[in-house]
Amino acid sequence: MRNPVQYAGRALRIVKALFAAYIVTVLLLLLTAMLLYRFQLDEGKVQVAIIFTYILSCFMGGFLAGKMIRSRKCLWGVLLGLLYFVSLTLVSLAVTRELGSSGSGLATTFLLCMGGGMLGGMLS
């Protein structure tokens, strides 16, 4: 049986990795906003930048979670991707009062977040 302190330590590491993923998100979204302002990007290019942001943020978070926890890295990366998606969805729901434009878009975002986190955990 494991010590509850070990569980608390892992939870804290996941929270740190999730926080790092959101820092990456903020930086990439600021870069996207600057590029949008400077080059008048069309909607398709902005969508690609947002998808890239989801993948890279979850990848970095999963990578950090795998490095910090050091066991079952893939699982922790997937968990980080899940937590990223859930928190992203809750914030979006709180701000806009709706889940998004379509169910398929939500499912795609879910898969991107989970896949990015899993890949980051696997490569850590």
Side-chain angles (χ1 to χ4, degrees):
M1 185 158 186
R2 295 198 177 192
N3 187 348
V5 174
Q6 287 177 325
Y7 290 119
R10 285 184 179 168
L12 182 61
R13 289 181 186 118
I14 286 291
V15 169
K16 286 180 182 179
L18 188 61
F19 184 71
Y22 273 110
I23 289 174
V24 171
T25 300
V26 167
L27 294 175
L28 289 175
L29 288 178
L30 283 173
L31 178 63
T32 302
M34 285 181 2
L35 292 173
L36 176 64
Y37 177 75
R38 177 84 169 119
F39 298 111
Q40 304 296 316
L41 300 176
D42 61 17
E43 186 177 343
K45 290 177 183 166
V46 172
Q47 287 289 45
V48 169
I50 290 171
I51 289 169
F52 177 76
T53 299
Y54 290 155
I55 294 170
L56 187 62
S57 297
C58 289
F59 175 85
M60 291 303 297
F63 187 85
L64 289 173
K67 283 287 187 193
M68 287 190 280
I69 296 176
R70 296 188 201 119
S71 67
R72 298 187 209 160
K73 297 175 181 184
C74 182
L75 174 70
W76 294 110
V78 168
L79 179 64
L80 184 115
L82 175 67
L83 292 173
Y84 182 94
F85 172 78
V86 167
S87 59
L88 182 72
T89 303
L90 290 175
V91 167
S92 176
L93 186 61
V95 171
T96 64
R97 304 273 189 233
E98 59 185 42
L99 281 176
S101 59
S102 69
S104 64
L106 198 61
T108 302
T109 303
F110 173 75
L111 292 174
L112 290 172
C113 292
M114 297 286 281
M118 180 178 65
L119 186 62
M122 286 169 49
L123 297 178
S124 65

